[in-house]
Amino acid sequence: MYAEQYAMGRLTKYKGTCIEIVPNRKIVIGFPFPISLVTPKIEWLIEPKGSNSVFTAVTYMRTYMILGIVFKKIFKKHMERLIESHDKHVGAEGENLKKLLENGNS
């Protein structure tokens, strides 16, 4: 897959591979090197609840012991903004996927 998205005000382009698909239930996307060093995969989970569904987005992120400590100390404010931006972005993705599922589009 190829995607373009705005994150923290910048256009980001990346490639990934759908490594698991369970129709109307689960999509797992894996990323190649070097993205995989930090984010090896994401999962989108759809759980039916009566006439509704619960959408959960899971982002797997790696932190390496030394690097994680350094980032936390030196780039604390940047990391907080990055996480906040990520949460906002994933929320918007969830709303878009919700609309697609409710309309029966794929």
Side-chain angles (χ1 to χ4, degrees), residues 1-7 10-18 29-36 39-42 44 59 86 89-90 93:
M1 62 153 255
Y2 173 79
E4 293 183 2
Q5 64 184 18
Y6 283 94
R10 294 178 49 195
L11 179 64
T12 304
K13 301 175 183 183
Y14 58 92
K15 294 179 182 179
T17 302
C18 292
I29 300 169
F31 299 104
F33 179 84
I35 296 170
S36 61
T39 306
K41 68 179 179 177
I42 59 173
W44 294 331
T59 301
H86 172 268
H89 172 76
V90 170
E93 279 184 339

Side-chain angles (χ1 to χ4, degrees), residues 18 20-22 25-29 42-46:
C18 292
E20 182 180 358
I21 297 174
V22 179
R25 301 287 182 167
K26 181 180 187 180
I27 300 170
V28 181
I29 300 169
I42 59 173
E43 290 182 353
W44 294 331
L45 308 170
I46 302 134

Side-chain angles (χ1 to χ4, degrees), residues 27-94:
I27 300 170
V28 181
I29 300 169
F31 299 104
F33 179 84
I35 296 170
S36 61
L37 289 174
V38 178
T39 306
K41 68 179 179 177
I42 59 173
E43 290 182 353
W44 294 331
L45 308 170
I46 302 134
E47 180 183 355
K49 290 283 187 182
S51 62
N52 299 309
S53 293
V54 175
F55 172 78
T56 305
V58 180
T59 301
Y60 292 85
M61 297 187 78
R62 293 183 178 145
T63 57
Y64 299 95
M65 188 68 153
I66 304 292
L67 186 60
I69 291 168
V70 170
F71 265 59
K72 188 174 181 181
K73 290 186 184 268
I74 297 175
F75 301 110
K76 183 176 181 182
K77 292 288 184 195
H78 178 72
M79 293 303 290
E80 289 172 355
R81 281 196 328 266
L82 180 64
I83 291 168
E84 182 180 309
S85 176
H86 172 268
D87 291 348
K88 183 178 178 181
H89 172 76
V90 170
E93 279 184 339

